Amino acid sequence: MMILSIVVGILFLQNKKEDDFMKTKWKNLISLVSAFAMFFTTNITVFTTTTDTAVNPLDTGKEILYYLFWTEDNKLKTDVDNLQQELSLTDNQIESLKQLGLKEHNAYQNFKKNYAADTPSDINLFNLEVEKNIVTNNQMIQEILGNKTKDFRNWMNEWWENERQYRTG
């Protein structure tokens, strides 16, 4: 913006009396601003799209485990069975993940109650609590699954993408 202000200032100082010249300069300036706007809009869109697809759903603050393990749905029950079979998880590991999903859900419900004012301060505190909860949940997943954690995260990433497509399309 500062550069734009300088350019406008220079145009006014150099050409106060030449109306035709000013019209041309304004047209050039408008074209330049339009080009900048297109460039920045395109870059922001590309950045946002890249970021959204690169984040594992377990790191988003969404109640993914709660959704998978606690939603009453035949497809999701089959998905949990597939998860257990594909990663060779024990019944105890599945139950621990299910309980972690419930804990995740209860934590988010408490965050929503405690930070319900929608003030900037409450929003920031809510976001901090969510970020801490993500870290804690990922640590718990590591404790539950050990060397299967990476495979689980990959499975969840692929499953979530398929689930979103299944439910929306």
Side-chain angles (χ1 to χ4, degrees):
M1 281 312 251
M2 187 173 166
I3 293 172
L4 182 61
S5 299
I6 292 169
V7 169
V8 170
I10 290 170
L11 290 175
F12 276 113
L13 290 174
Q14 286 181 345
N15 304 300
K16 286 182 183 176
K17 297 179 183 176
E18 300 175 14
D19 287 339
D20 289 337
F21 187 73
M22 285 300 293
K23 288 178 185 175
T24 303
K25 289 292 185 182
W26 274 111
K27 287 180 185 176
N28 290 341
L29 182 62
I30 290 170
S31 297
L32 182 65
V33 170
S34 298
F36 275 123
M38 274 181 44
F39 173 76
F40 287 117
T41 303
T42 302
N43 282 345
I44 289 169
T45 303
V46 170
F47 176 76
T48 301
T49 303
T50 302
T51 301
D52 287 346
T53 59
V55 175
N56 189 292
L58 294 168
D59 301 329
T60 62
K62 295 178 182 174
E63 300 176 40
I64 301 298
L65 293 176
Y66 181 76
Y67 174 80
L68 175 61
F69 288 101
W70 291 94
T71 303
E72 293 293 324
D73 181 85
N74 290 332
K75 181 196 174 292
L76 294 177
K77 289 184 189 310
T78 301
D79 291 344
V80 170
D81 291 341
N82 290 339
L83 166 65
Q84 185 171 13
Q85 182 180 355
E86 288 175 30
L87 299 185
S88 301
L89 301 179
T90 66
D91 290 340
N92 286 340
Q93 288 172 315
I94 291 293
E95 184 59 32
S96 294
L97 290 170
K98 183 177 181 177
Q99 291 308 310
L100 182 58
L102 183 59
K103 182 180 172 191
E104 169 187 76
H105 173 71
N106 290 335
Y108 286 116
Q109 294 307 306
N110 286 331
F111 300 159
K112 289 175 187 175
K113 286 179 194 172
N114 293 336
Y115 307 109
D118 284 341
T119 63
S121 175
D122 271 5
I123 292 168
N124 287 335
L125 290 171
F126 177 86
N127 288 338
L128 285 173
E129 290 296 329
V130 169
E131 288 174 21
K132 284 194 267 182
N133 202 54
I134 290 168
V135 170
T136 301
N137 284 351
N138 283 330
Q139 289 170 343
M140 293 297 300
I141 290 169
Q142 177 67 43
E143 288 177 25
I144 294 166
L145 299 178
N147 63 357
K148 295 180 181 180
T149 301
K150 183 178 178 184
D151 291 337
F152 174 74
R153 289 179 60 80
N154 290 338
W155 189 94
M156 289 295 291
N157 196 36
E158 185 178 330
W159 167 79
W160 183 243
E161 187 60 37
N162 291 335
E163 180 66 12
R164 289 175 52 207
Q165 289 175 5
Y166 175 80
R167 300 293 174 182
T168 59

